[in-house]
Amino acid sequence: MRLLQHIGKLLLAATFIASLGLNAAVAKTLKVGVSVPSADHGWTAGLLWWAEKAADDFKKSEDDIEFYVVAASSGSKQVGDVEDLMIKGIDALVILPHNPATLQKVIEEAYGSGIYTVVVDRELETPAQNVFIAGDNAGLGSVSGEWLAKEMDGKGKVVVIEGMSIPINKQRVDAFNEVISQHKGMSILDSQPADWSTQKALAVMENYLQKHPEIDAVWCQDDDMLKGVMQAIKESGRTDIKTVLGGAGSQDIIKMVVDGNPVVRATVTYPPSMVASGIALAITGARHEMLGKMYHSAPSRVILAAELIDTNNATEFVVADAAY
């Protein structure tokens, strides 16, 4: 009887050990889905580049991670992409929503099913994620305003070119306007949207140049739009505009700063590399690991500082081969 009991215990132990081995085998490969909008302008091209770079970097150092990086041309396409990723059995989802309202439901489904979810840049109306990571939009506006006011000695005429009419644009513009309002010698002549598009910014700037005979500076909060602004100024032959400030920190514009462009002397970060940081957070969270040397799990909200890039530090932000 004792022998049978002993054998029974051994079988139970073996079954338990086997189940551990089976669970380890099942959990051996961590599946991470990354969903971003298609590269319809420079910043989103940079976003996709950084997502693929992060996936490649992790695969070089770890054998137990599988990545699915997908890009969608519309909100409805992205919904389908997320559904496909869920069918593949992903353990973590990193997503920059094409349109937060359109993606709300499917992200809720992913998060509710236990998939570790990191939402990047565009916040959902109803939170449905473990971590939200984004740049500091208000900080981008205030840092831009402070630098411009200093460069202009607190006086002069400014025109503003805005992004899309969505909350993050309003955060940037409101913060910028607040700083400029503190300098009584400065005035904002005009403020119109160009949807973060180079071509639309070109058209808006052409209109400004015809409408306003004197312009000292342009704030366009985005380096893609800055290219359109610079083209319009060049084609007009105007020489009164001494400063043009964009934002996000594209490699093209950083190079202009490094090379000593007399008009483009700075930019402000809103890095597409945030998606790479989101991937790192997702991996750490899905594995239930601590972040770095912290004594707690990953934070639920990460806001990356808006950093001024000027001639003093521009070389530090150069990334070879980066798409943006």
Side-chain angles (χ1 to χ4, degrees), residues 2-314:
R2 287 183 179 179
L3 178 61
L4 290 175
Q5 289 175 341
H6 182 64
I7 292 172
K9 290 178 180 179
L10 288 174
L11 288 173
L12 285 173
T15 301
F16 176 70
I17 292 169
S19 70
L20 288 178
L22 179 60
N23 288 337
V26 171
K28 182 179 179 182
T29 300
L30 183 73
K31 295 183 178 181
V32 181
V34 183
S35 175
V36 298
S38 297
D40 57 359
H41 64 287
W43 195 85
T44 50
L47 191 80
L48 182 58
W49 186 88
W50 277 104
E52 292 174 341
K53 175 175 170 52
D56 288 342
D57 288 347
F58 272 106
K59 285 188 288 187
K60 288 175 184 176
S61 60
E62 303 187 40
D63 298 326
D64 58 349
I65 304 180
E66 187 173 352
F67 289 95
Y68 306 97
V69 179
V70 292
S73 58
S74 67
S76 58
K77 173 65 167 60
Q78 193 173 25
V79 169
D81 285 349
V82 174
E83 291 172 343
D84 289 343
L85 291 171
M86 292 172 68
I87 291 171
K88 285 181 169 66
I90 58 171
D91 303 292
L93 172 67
V94 180
I95 182 167
L96 192 154
H98 206 289
N99 181 321
T102 303
L103 274 295
Q104 177 78 51
K105 183 178 179 182
V106 76
I107 295 175
E108 285 179 351
E109 290 174 2
Y111 176 62
S113 71
I115 295 171
Y116 194 92
T117 303
V118 177
V119 173
V120 181
D121 185 46
R122 300 174 186 173
E123 198 160 10
L124 301 174
E125 183 175 350
T126 303
Q129 73 271 331
N130 298 90
V131 183
F132 173 70
I133 181 170
D136 185 353
N137 287 287
L140 188 152
S142 60
V143 170
S144 298
E146 289 162 3
W147 181 84
L148 200 57
K150 184 177 179 180
E151 288 292 302
M152 298 175 68
D153 293 325
K155 55 183 181 294
K157 299 174 181 179
V158 182
V159 293
V160 173
I161 300 182
E162 302 183 24
M164 295 174 66
S165 298
I166 59 176
I168 63 173
N169 173 73
K170 187 176 189 302
Q171 293 166 15
R172 296 176 181 185
V173 174
D174 286 353
F176 178 82
N177 290 347
E178 173 63 25
V179 171
I180 299 303
S181 70
Q182 298 170 17
H183 299 271
K184 302 308 179 184
M186 297 181 70
S187 60
I188 296 175
L189 301 176
D190 227 323
S191 189
Q192 299 294 330
D195 301 341
W196 296 311
S197 161
T198 300
Q199 290 303 314
K200 290 183 180 180
L202 169 63
V204 171
M205 192 63 204
E206 287 174 339
N207 177 263
Y208 283 172
L209 291 166
Q210 294 174 4
K211 185 177 178 182
H212 303 290
E214 294 181 16
I215 299 173
D216 297 301
V218 182
W219 180 58
C220 52
Q221 67 157 269
D222 176 80
D223 289 341
D224 283 334
M225 294 200 295
L226 182 144
K227 294 175 183 177
V229 169
M230 294 297 287
Q231 183 180 341
I233 294 171
K234 181 179 179 180
E235 292 175 355
S236 73
R238 291 268 293 265
T239 58
D240 53 318
I241 301 168
K242 305 302 182 185
T243 304
V244 178
L245 179 63
S250 80
Q251 294 299 304
D252 289 346
I253 305 310
I254 291 173
K255 186 177 186 304
M256 293 174 71
V257 176
V258 170
D259 291 344
N261 187 287
V263 176
V264 180
R265 303 184 298 280
T267 186
V268 180
T269 61
Y270 195 84
S273 59
M274 66 177 70
V275 71
S277 295
I279 290 170
L281 287 166
I283 291 170
T284 300
R287 288 175 167 171
H288 306 290
E289 296 174 347
M290 297 299 180
L291 185 63
K293 295 184 179 180
M294 291 179 65
Y295 287 86
H296 303 279
S297 58
S300 61
R301 190 176 184 85
V302 178
I303 303 299
L304 303 171
E307 299 179 76
L308 178 69
I309 301 175
D310 60 13
T311 54
N312 296 311
N313 64 354

